[in-house]
Amino acid sequence: MDTILVANAGSSSVKFQVFGIEEGQLKRQIRGVAEGIGTQPKLHAEATAGKVLVDRVYMNEAVPDVPAALLMAGAWLRDEQNIHPVAVGHRVVHGGPEYNQPVLITKDVLRRLEQYIPLAPLHQPQNLAPIRTIMADLPGLPQVACFDTAFHRKHSAVADHYAIPEHFYAEGVRRYGFHGLSYEYIAGRLAGIAPEVAKKKVIVAHLGSGASMCALSGGQSAESSMGFTALDGLPMGTRAGQIDPGVVLYLIEQKGMSAHEVQHLLYHDCGLKGLSGISNDMRELEASSDPRAAFAIDYFVYRIALFTGTLAGALGGLDAFVFTAGIGEHSPSLRARLAVKLSWLGVKLDQTANGRGEQLISAHDSAVAVYVIPTDEELVIAQHTLALIGRRHPSGTRGAR
């Protein structure tokens, strides 16, 4: 069976999935991750049914960086699982003003994507590293870049602009929005679950270590909490979220910090980690009795509520709210607390359904339907990759089994 490999590279891990192609349909076969890169490298992978295929620890010097981790995972797939993909799909965070849809990667495309590293320094270099590795080792293997910004590129000019001179916009300084692959999946999944609701005014909250929100109108992105970079909007695990630009000027001019030091601060030492002084992990904060942990959670909920009002304003109302990603999918207490904050919009939860993490968690008399829908960015990447690799396979996939 022909297969597609999906790679999602981070700063210290490479998540991967393998999809088989059967009569134009995608069948998920393997989920895996190479993690602990640079500290204690580990390769873990499971079959779709949950059977552990590998759980192996490596010497640190054997897997010093992301490209080495990809080679390690690739060797395991090839030598022990007999997986020889016909194409590789990659999550690439920033497509800039040029790329509003997935694209087959060439050396020229790769050079262009490198220009956007300053706009996503936490993600873009890691996203591109596996692409370079595969291009060098297997130059004939098709690779597809799928962008987190692409889903938002149909925003109106009013939503896209900052109030700065127009020539900056022409140069690419605009509000892009991120987590687009997640929102694309949720929009399609909601259309299958509740087609009439999906046509209306919906806010999706992608709440994880990286967090953002998206306003959907008729299944299309109308507005996003994130902007020019993935720093904007909600506070995140280690990122500050929305902040007065004057704070950045103050840190540089009055505190003597360099631009690099400020960048590191805003990406690595802020958010839940900075507020709590304890952890960037919501699970640890919820389990802690430290008042700083409680304050960080309060702040997170407060900002989500604020952005809900903003996005509802952009939509002109609200018919449904969707929780997704790690925190959104697995924290009933946070969902309950946010619902109280959103009661003015008519949000009312069924506490039993919420506690169980059911798909529909709103009460029968809630004015706003509330859903919990697990996201699946990898499936979206696999679908786009299959559609772009040519006529060898039908492109009309509808989902994975």
Side-chain angles (χ1 to χ4, degrees):
M1 180 191 300
D2 284 341
T3 57
I4 287 174
L5 173 64
V6 172
N8 185 347
S11 58
S12 62
S13 68
V14 178
K15 297 177 184 177
F16 62 91
Q17 293 194 26
V18 176
F19 292 83
I21 306 169
E22 282 187 350
E23 298 179 352
Q25 298 289 314
L26 292 169
K27 182 178 181 180
R28 201 186 319 265
Q29 295 181 340
I30 296 173
R31 299 174 188 261
V33 60
E35 57 188 348
I37 300 169
T39 55
Q40 188 175 11
K42 178 181 178 181
L43 177 64
H44 180 87
E46 298 178 359
T48 304
K51 177 185 176 182
V52 175
L53 300 174
V54 64
D55 194 34
R56 189 176 298 163
V57 176
Y58 293 78
M59 298 295 291
N60 187 30
E61 56 269 23
V63 192
D65 52 28
V66 168
L70 183 70
L71 290 174
M72 171 187 69
W76 174 77
L77 287 169
R78 180 182 63 251
D79 299 338
E80 299 184 39
Q81 300 298 310
N82 196 31
I83 298 293
H84 300 272
V86 296
V88 183
H90 298 269
R91 177 195 178 208
V92 177
V93 165
H94 216 303
E98 287 187 83
Y99 299 107
N100 60 4
Q101 58 187 356
V103 62
L104 281 167
I105 300 169
T106 63
K107 290 182 179 179
D108 181 61
V109 168
L110 183 57
R111 281 193 296 269
R112 291 173 183 271
L113 294 178
E114 288 170 345
Q115 298 174 10
Y116 308 130
I117 287 176
L119 308 190
L122 200 65
H123 301 90
Q124 197 86 347
Q126 314 303 336
N127 298 158
L128 300 183
I131 295 173
R132 292 193 200 93
T133 300
I134 294 173
M135 189 175 286
D137 288 5
L138 298 166
L141 181 63
Q143 298 190 77
V144 174
C146 299
F147 304 103
D148 261 341
T149 51
F151 185 67
H152 304 292
R153 290 299 307 281
K154 293 182 180 179
H155 285 181
S156 68
V158 168
D160 257 2
H161 273 68
Y162 289 106
I164 56 179
E166 180 66 19
H167 69 86
F168 288 110
Y169 180 85
E171 294 167 9
V173 182
R174 59 187 72 177
R175 300 187 69 252
Y176 291 99
F178 296 88
H179 292 131
L181 295 166
S182 177
Y183 294 128
E184 181 179 353
Y185 175 81
I186 296 299
R189 186 78 180 97
L190 185 61
I193 295 169
E196 291 306 311
V197 172
K199 297 175 184 177
K200 298 180 180 179
K201 301 166 183 176
V202 180
I203 291 175
V204 183
H206 178 106
L207 307 178
S209 180
S212 70
M213 298 172 70
C214 177
L216 298 177
S217 178
Q220 301 294 315
S221 176
E223 182 58 276
S224 169
S225 63
M226 281 184 169
F228 182 55
T229 72
L231 273 176
D232 200 7
L234 300 177
M236 296 164 245
T238 61
R239 281 171 270 172
Q242 186 181 59
I243 191 169
D244 184 340
V247 174
V248 177
L249 297 177
Y250 171 81
L251 294 175
I252 293 173
E253 295 177 355
Q254 302 301 319
K255 303 298 289 184
M257 295 177 69
S258 67
H260 177 75
E261 289 172 331
V262 173
Q263 181 184 80
H264 188 276
L265 170 72
L266 297 178
Y267 273 102
H268 296 280
D269 295 324
C270 293
L272 297 176
K273 177 184 175 182
L275 285 169
S276 70
I278 298 171
S279 174
N280 64 334
D281 191 318
M282 180 61 71
R283 293 167 296 187
E284 293 184 24
L285 297 179
E286 288 184 330
S288 175
S289 60
D290 193 311
R292 296 176 300 168
F295 178 76
I297 297 172
D298 287 344
Y299 186 87
F300 189 56
V301 172
Y302 176 71
R303 300 302 295 185
I304 298 169
L306 283 182
F307 271 98
T308 300
T310 298
L311 296 178
L315 291 170
L318 183 62
D319 297 300
F321 191 101
V322 179
F323 289 96
T324 194
I327 299 171
E329 295 169 22
H330 298 118
S331 180
S333 62
L334 184 137
R335 295 194 298 259
R337 293 178 63 177
L338 183 61
V340 173
K341 289 278 190 183
L342 302 183
S343 59
W344 67 276
L345 282 167
V347 172
K348 185 176 181 181
L349 292 193
D350 178 326
Q351 297 302 334
T352 301
N354 179 49
R356 293 174 177 169
E358 295 179 7
Q359 190 172 84
L360 179 64
I361 61 171
S362 47
H364 66 88
D365 57 345
S366 178
V368 176
V370 184
Y371 296 88
V372 179
I373 303 178
T375 193
D376 196 341
E377 296 160 300
E378 288 79 12
L379 176 58
V380 174
I381 294 169
Q383 290 172 331
H384 285 310
T385 301
L386 181 56
L388 281 176
I389 59 175
R391 298 179 180 178
R392 292 178 56 195
H393 309 287
S395 60
T397 61
R398 291 294 181 267
R401 298 194 295 275

